[in-house]
């Protein structure tokens, strides 16, 4: 069962055109309060969690096969106007586009493999080690984000922005917090010049860390070969 | 006075006085904790906290902080966030039991994760922005 959740403070009306255009035959839910990010410790979109028939997490939150192939163009894209970016796309070379597609396909293969065979589930200890870090600062950040979004959506932008800024200060690793806040401040802010500059400033750090699955290089992952059933 | 309380479970409208003083019934509705002779209790756990009681109401902000959870209010102290603390979050995820949630689809129909028990679930997030 695929459950696709829109982390979108704009709610159903922002998510609707995308969901309708996808003709999705799976369950599409709308999460205006970012409750899934809050509950599961997510820091970016997309992220995915594999949950088995008993309701147990068998692969903690990870990037579902997206690659950083276009990210290295972020600095050049940041220099362009929004108009120019529209016409130039993400400046991807054919090789970068192929690597991006290969990552998504490799992840899909692993996912199908899991559905049919149970492979790629992590043993309980390995799954626990792969859980996201949860600090008091992150807990505080989630509370500020919740209040900030609520205030923004109730016409109290200036007060809301104070809380959103504090949420980012306490949890700087969360791209979701920063990008949703930027989008609330200005439509398009989530993917605008400031975002691209921040992405370029990551340097060698990944934006989409590779999942520990076959096809994703040296990070082979800690799989449970017997699937523990 | 009417106040709004935001928790991980949802948004609640409550009758509050002096900040976030709630009746025991409202406390239970919003947080799942109930007032008993031995203290404030949920499941098998009771926290004695007589100082949080004021004329039959519970100082929920003080109680929530005592549990180690974040508490925030807006400038007018009419909208509150009762957050989940780091320890509560770690314990929830360390169990590997996927945290339960209820969210609407495009038509507003609610769906719960637990409705899908018995099936493998691929839970994925995305955003329009």
């Amino acid at each position: 069962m695929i459950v696709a959740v829109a982390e979108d403070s704009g709610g159903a009306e922002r998510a609707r055109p995308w969901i309708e255009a996808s003709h999705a035959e799976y369950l599409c839910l709308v999460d205006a309060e970012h409750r899934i990010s809050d509950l599961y410790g997510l820091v970016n979109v997309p992220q995915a969690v594999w949950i088995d028939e008993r309701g147990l997490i068998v692969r903690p939150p990870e990037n579902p096969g997206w690659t950083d192939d276009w990210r290295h163009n972020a600095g050049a894209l940041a220099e362009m106007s929004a108009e120019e970016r529209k016409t130039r796309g993400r400046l991807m070379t054919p090789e970068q586009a192929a690597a991006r597609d290969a990552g998504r396909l490799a992840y899909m293969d692993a996912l199908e493999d899991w559905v049919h065979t149970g492979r790629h589930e992590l043993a309980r200890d390995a799954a626990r080690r792969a859980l996201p870090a949860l600090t008091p600062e992150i807990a505080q950040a989630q509370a500020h984000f919740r209040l900030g979004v609520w205030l923004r959506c109730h016409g109290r932008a200036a007060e809301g922005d104070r809380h959103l800024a504090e949420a980012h200060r306490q949890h700087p690793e969360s791209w979701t917090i920063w990008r949703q806040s930027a989008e609330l401040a200005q439509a398009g802010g989530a993917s605008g010049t400031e975002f691209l500059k921040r992405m370029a400033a990551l340097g060698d750090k990944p934006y989409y860390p590779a999942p520990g699955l076959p096809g994703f290089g040296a990070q082979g992952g800690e799989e449970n070969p017997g699937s523990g059933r | 006075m009417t106040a709004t309380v935001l928790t991980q479970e949802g948004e609640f409208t409550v009758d509050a006085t002096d900040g976030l003083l709630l009746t025991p019934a409202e406390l239970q509705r919003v947080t799942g904790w109930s007032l008993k002779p031995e203290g404030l209790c949920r499941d098998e756990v009771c926290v004695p906290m007589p100082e949080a009681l004021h004329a039959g109401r519970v100082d929920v902000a003080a109680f929530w902080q005592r549990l180690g959870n974040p508490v925030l209010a807006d400038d007018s102290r009419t909208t509150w966030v009762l957050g989940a603390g780091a320890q509560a979050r770690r314990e929830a995820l360390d169990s590997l039991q996927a945290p339960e949630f209820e969210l609407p689809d495009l038509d507003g129909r609610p769906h719960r994760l637990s409705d899908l028990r018995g099936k493998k679930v691929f839970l994925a997030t995305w955003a329009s922005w």
Side-chain angles (χ1 to χ4, degrees):
Chain A
M1 183 79 192
I2 298 172
V3 181
V5 182
E7 299 292 85
D8 230 312
S9 298
E13 293 329 300
R14 289 298 302 275
R16 182 181 300 277
W18 298 83
I19 294 173
E20 290 182 348
S22 75
H23 301 290
E25 291 177 355
Y26 43 83
L27 190 55
C28 292
L29 304 179
V30 181
D31 185 12
E33 292 156 359
H34 292 227
R35 197 169 295 166
I36 300 299
S37 293
D38 186 357
L39 287 169
Y40 286 81
L42 308 186
V43 294
N44 207 342
V45 285
Q47 278 192 283
V49 184
W50 295 12
I51 300 167
D52 76 2
E53 294 88 337
R54 300 163 294 179
L56 292 177
I57 295 172
V58 292
R59 288 192 72 84
E62 65 188 349
N63 148 41
W66 290 36
T67 64
D68 270 0
D69 291 288
W70 75 273
R71 181 166 73 77
H72 305 291
N73 306 329
L77 287 163
E79 299 297 316
M80 296 179 186
S81 70
E83 241 359 84
E84 199 180 351
R85 280 201 287 272
K86 269 185 204 158
T87 57
R88 301 286 298 280
R90 287 175 171 176
L91 298 181
M92 264 194 283
T93 63
E95 290 75 22
Q96 288 174 332
R100 174 201 60 187
D101 295 346
R104 293 183 190 181
L105 286 174
Y107 192 84
M108 287 288 289
D109 284 347
L111 182 59
E112 274 188 47
D113 202 12
W114 171 56
V115 172
H116 295 302
T117 68
R119 263 197 289 272
H120 310 306
E121 291 189 357
L122 299 185
R124 293 180 72 91
D125 284 352
R128 279 200 191 93
R129 279 197 298 276
L131 288 168
L134 293 165
T135 62
E137 290 75 22
I138 290 172
Q140 202 68 31
Q142 294 293 1
H144 280 286
F145 180 75
R146 185 82 192 283
L147 185 55
V149 168
W150 191 93
L151 290 165
R152 263 264 170 202
C153 294
H154 286 76
R156 291 158 69 181
E159 191 182 348
D161 286 349
R162 283 207 328 262
H163 289 282
L164 293 173
E166 182 61 15
H168 171 62
R169 197 184 69 78
Q170 300 251 14
H171 192 10
E173 285 82 32
S174 171
W175 286 94
T176 312
I177 286 177
W178 187 86
R179 295 187 70 199
Q180 179 68 83
S181 304
E183 189 69 22
L184 284 168
Q186 184 180 15
S191 49
T193 303
E194 181 57 29
F195 165 65
L196 292 163
K197 281 186 185 162
R198 283 168 186 264
M199 199 180 231
L202 274 173
D204 292 335
K205 278 201 249 170
Y207 181 72
Y208 291 126
L213 284 166
F216 289 94
Q219 302 186 23
E222 301 178 83
E223 295 190 9
N224 179 16
S227 88
R229 285 155 180 278
Chain B
M1 182 180 69
T2 300
T4 300
V5 183
L6 311 173
T7 75
Q8 278 191 317
E9 278 72 44
E11 180 172 333
F12 301 85
T13 303
V14 296
D15 168 55
T17 55
D18 295 331
L20 198 57
L21 295 183
L22 302 185
T23 64
E26 290 277 66
L27 169 75
Q28 182 157 22
R29 183 170 69 89
V30 173
T31 67
W33 289 80
S34 54
L35 180 63
K36 291 186 177 172
E38 50 271 51
L40 294 158
C41 305
R42 190 176 64 180
D43 301 328
E44 302 301 306
V45 180
C46 285
V47 180
M49 203 176 166
E51 69 276 21
L53 290 179
H54 302 275
R57 285 180 176 250
V58 180
D59 183 343
V60 176
F63 170 59
W64 209 246
Q65 273 169 337
R66 165 84 175 272
L67 293 177
N69 295 322
V71 177
L72 290 180
D74 68 338
D75 291 348
S76 64
R77 293 171 64 81
T78 54
T79 301
W80 295 77
V81 177
L82 299 180
Q87 195 187 338
R89 287 166 187 274
R90 274 197 292 266
E91 284 171 6
L93 284 185
D94 271 350
S95 74
L96 295 181
Q97 194 67 48
E100 172 69 332
F101 58 83
E102 180 182 291
L103 289 172
D105 60 24
L106 275 185
D107 299 324
R109 266 193 310 260
H111 297 265
R112 298 182 74 86
L113 177 65
S114 52
D115 297 342
L116 304 175
R117 196 62 43 82
K119 293 177 181 172
K120 288 189 169 104
V121 173
F122 177 65
L123 175 67
T125 58
W126 66 282
S128 70
W129 34 265

